[in-house]
Amino acid sequence: MSRLQRQSPSTLLAHPHRREGGFTIIELLSVMVIMGILAGLALPKMISILNSAKTARAIGDIKAIQTDLMSIEAGGQALPANLGGIGRGAMVDPWGNPYVYIPFPPGPPPGGARVDRFGVPTNSTFDLYSSGIDGGTAASFTSGAGQDDIVRAGDGGFVGLARNY
C-alpha cells in the first residue's frame, strides 16, 4: 500500500502540498550569498591583522639582532661582516626575505647608508632592516619602495616601519 493510500482523506485535504524535508535551491543560494558577503567583509581585516603580526615579529627580530651586535660593540670588538658572525646568517623576515645588515667602517656613514626624509643617515655604525611586505627597498625612508621596510634608526633608538620614523 502506498503512502497516499495509507493516509486518511482528511489528512490529504489538510496538507495537499506537503514537503518531505530539505532545503530549496533558493534557500541554499541565499545562505551562500550571505556567507560570501560576510567573508568579503572579514578577509581584508584578517589580512591587515596578519600583516601587523608579521611587522611586530620583524621588529622583535631586529631588536634581538641589534642587541647581539651592540653587545659586540660594547665589548670593544669589531662588528662582524655579516649576520653569520653572530649565528643569525640564515635568519629570514616574516615575508621570507633575509634581514639586511650593513656594517659601516669607522668614521662617517658611507654613501649607501639609509637616510631619513632630510637625507641624513639614520645610523652611525650599522644599518639593519627588513625589506618589508613588498620585498623592495630604497636608501631613503620616504621613497615608495622603502616606506614599508622595518628599520633600525637613530642608532637603535627606533625600530619600526620606515614611514613612521
Side-chain angles (χ1 to χ4, degrees):
M1 201 166 164
S2 76
R3 195 177 73 117
L4 290 176
Q5 291 172 343
R6 279 186 270 146
Q7 293 179 344
S8 69
S10 62
T11 305
L12 289 174
L13 291 175
H15 304 289
H17 299 290
R18 186 174 181 160
R19 286 186 7 193
E20 286 298 314
F23 298 101
T24 66
I25 192 75
I26 299 298
E27 291 169 331
L28 290 173
L29 285 174
S30 298
V31 168
M32 289 175 62
V33 165
I34 291 169
M35 288 175 60
I37 290 170
L38 291 174
L41 293 172
L43 191 61
K45 184 66 173 173
M46 186 180 78
I47 290 172
S48 172
I49 290 169
L50 183 62
N51 284 334
S52 293
K54 287 181 176 185
T55 299
R57 181 180 147 220
I59 289 170
D61 288 350
I62 289 172
K63 285 181 178 181
I65 295 168
Q66 169 183 270
T67 300
D68 292 348
L69 292 169
M70 291 176 84
S71 66
I72 290 171
E73 278 184 315
Q77 300 171 342
L79 289 171
N82 56 49
L83 292 177
I86 58 170
R88 296 182 184 259
M91 194 171 186
V92 294
D93 67 14
W95 299 278
N97 302 310
Y99 286 100
V100 180
Y101 163 67
I102 305 168
F104 301 150
R114 301 294 302 262
V115 294
D116 63 13
R117 64 178 164 248
F118 303 111
V120 177
T122 58
N123 296 296
S124 61
T125 55
F126 64 90
D127 272 343
L128 177 62
Y129 60 93
S130 160
S131 54
I133 192 169
D134 67 357
T137 191
S140 173
F141 286 0
T142 58
S143 72
Q147 289 186 343
D148 72 334
D149 294 359
I150 293 82
V151 299
R152 170 191 185 263
D155 282 330
F158 174 85
V159 177
L161 285 167
R163 69 174 158 254
N164 295 338
Y165 181 70

